[in-house]
Amino acid sequence: LSDATPATAPRVFPLSFTHSANRAVDAAPFTDGSVRLFDRQDLNILSIIPTKPGETCALGLDYGACFSRQTPHLLFTHSNQNTIRLWDTRSRECLNVITNDTPITCIDVNSDDTTLACGGEENLYFWDLRAMALRSCFSDSHSDLVTQVRFHPTNPNQLLSSSLDGLVCLFDLSLGGEDEALTTVINAETSVSIANFFGPQYENVLVLTAIETLSVWNAEHGNRMLDLKNARAMIPAPTEQGMVDYFVDAHYDSATQHICTIAGTHAGVLHIAQVAPTGLNTMFVLEGGHTDTVRCIEWDCEPGVIMTGGEDGKICRWAFY
């Protein structure tokens, strides 16, 4: 007889959220490689899209899934097998497969659905979605793994990318090849975890790093507008459980024109704070929904509503008015 303890089954939990163009459905890639589609109002699972055997979603990196910006039933997914798949969520049919020459770490689709951007170990890849063909590869802008690619919400040619090399690069793809397209380089001086456009015209960039510095930059000129060196330490203890342990995400609220950070404890408590020139000001605390680390959040699903996904396997919908 063996004294070995049976292996614990790996926990299955969501990694990110992406919403359909009509905002009726959300998709969440899970750690078991599946992508689950659910109704945004009641969180009922509508269907589950499986991946091929041996494929898993990209844990800890950007979206493992991304909806088309204009067609509600088209969904792109990426895995750890160098592939991107295009799905019809109505039938769960795979319509097309894009095979990259290196592992894919993150994807995004531009606002007019003509270009799919992919991040890789060091490179950026751009696929023409009309021809389903590789349009270009940028190999010189980053020197380490790409952590995020983000298209501008309204300009289909403007893209930012971030990397473990500490750089956030901004491109105008209408200008030509890599040298011409690279318009601004932001040096965050350490590995970048989160970068995104914000502002009334999305003219600025927010950067969160692996050592939890938070900075704000002008996208056109690359000048730093705000620099908070130890942002997490500026957040007061949300509950008797103590200080927050990590940043989950950051969000720009276009209605109030405020930047908010979302930080969490490993017990599932979330602390929402508004970014100010002098630091972070508490807005509210979310507790009672999760019992473990929160992995992902979606704020812009509808006014006054936040959705969160945690390592406890739960997806929670929060309402605050």
Side-chain angles (χ1 to χ4, degrees):
L1 295 176
S2 172
D3 294 329
T5 302
T8 303
R11 291 183 296 178
V12 177
F13 54 86
L15 295 170
S16 62
F17 296 120
T18 178
H19 61 257
S20 61
N22 61 5
R23 295 178 176 267
V25 176
D26 253 279
F30 275 65
T31 50
D32 63 353
S34 67
V35 177
R36 306 183 189 195
L37 306 176
F38 57 92
D39 185 280
R40 300 179 68 136
Q41 295 299 317
D42 56 22
L43 302 187
N44 284 333
I45 294 178
L46 304 174
S47 62
I48 299 176
I49 295 176
T51 57
K52 294 183 68 176
E55 294 192 359
T56 59
C57 292
L59 179 61
L61 299 172
D62 198 23
Y63 301 131
C66 180
F67 268 107
S68 157
R69 303 306 181 198
Q70 298 193 2
T71 306
H73 61 270
L74 294 183
L75 177 71
F76 297 89
T77 64
H78 76 89
S79 68
N80 64 350
Q81 297 291 315
N82 300 11
T83 56
I84 299 168
R85 287 184 167 83
L86 174 61
W87 302 86
D88 185 330
T89 60
R90 299 168 300 183
S91 62
R92 296 193 301 166
E93 178 186 1
C94 181
L95 304 178
N96 218 317
V97 179
I98 293 173
T99 303
N100 212 48
D101 59 3
T102 62
I104 299 160
T105 58
C106 48
I107 61 174
D108 198 19
V109 179
N110 67 348
S111 60
D112 65 3
D113 273 359
T114 58
T115 304
L116 173 75
C118 314
E121 293 176 344
E122 296 178 358
N123 299 342
L124 300 169
Y125 301 89
F126 301 95
W127 290 82
D128 184 335
L129 293 179
R130 295 160 296 191
M132 281 295 175
L134 183 64
R135 169 179 161 185
S136 56
C137 172
F138 292 177
S139 58
D140 296 328
S141 299
H142 291 294
S143 60
D144 208 332
L145 184 142
V146 177
T147 55
Q148 285 191 318
V149 286
R150 301 279 196 193
F151 276 105
H152 189 279
T154 59
N155 183 341
N157 292 309
Q158 192 170 2
L159 174 98
L160 69 75
S161 61
S162 62
S163 170
L164 296 183
D165 62 12
L167 300 183
V168 177
C169 296
L170 289 102
F171 302 92
D172 183 342
L173 302 181
S174 68
L175 298 179
E178 183 170 9
D179 290 343
E180 296 79 16
L182 180 61
T183 58
T184 306
V185 178
I186 292 169
N187 187 359
E189 301 172 358
T190 188
S191 301
V192 177
S193 302
I194 295 168
N196 211 347
F197 293 102
F198 80 94
Q201 305 299 321
Y202 299 98
E203 71 276 18
N204 301 316
V205 175
L206 170 74
V207 178
L208 273 172
T209 70
I211 61 171
E212 298 177 326
T213 63
L214 184 153
S215 55
V216 171
W217 306 73
N218 177 264
E220 181 179 359
H221 303 293
N223 56 300
R224 184 156 39 195
M225 303 158 60
L226 178 67
D227 188 17
L228 302 179
K229 291 295 187 186
N230 193 0
R232 181 163 63 91
M234 298 178 180
I235 301 175
T239 67
E240 67 276 1
Q241 298 182 37
M243 298 293 290
V244 295
D245 298 308
Y246 60 96
F247 278 116
V248 184
D249 207 344
H251 168 76
Y252 173 69
D253 186 346
S254 58
T256 63
Q257 297 188 13
H258 291 149
I259 303 170
C260 302
T261 61
I262 304 94
T265 73
H266 293 307
V269 178
L270 290 172
H271 188 285
I272 315 299
Q274 180 181 315
V275 177
T278 56
L280 302 177
N281 299 327
T282 301
M283 295 176 64
F284 49 89
V285 174
L286 302 176
E287 54 186 329
H290 292 285
T291 57
D292 207 336
T293 302
V294 173
R295 274 280 183 177
C296 52
I297 184 166
E298 185 174 35
W299 192 312
D300 60 350
C301 49
E302 59 184 278
V305 173
I306 292 175
M307 288 196 301
T308 56
E311 292 189 9
D312 53 10
K314 296 178 183 177
I315 293 175
C316 296
R317 187 175 188 269
W318 310 81
F320 60 98
Y321 301 97

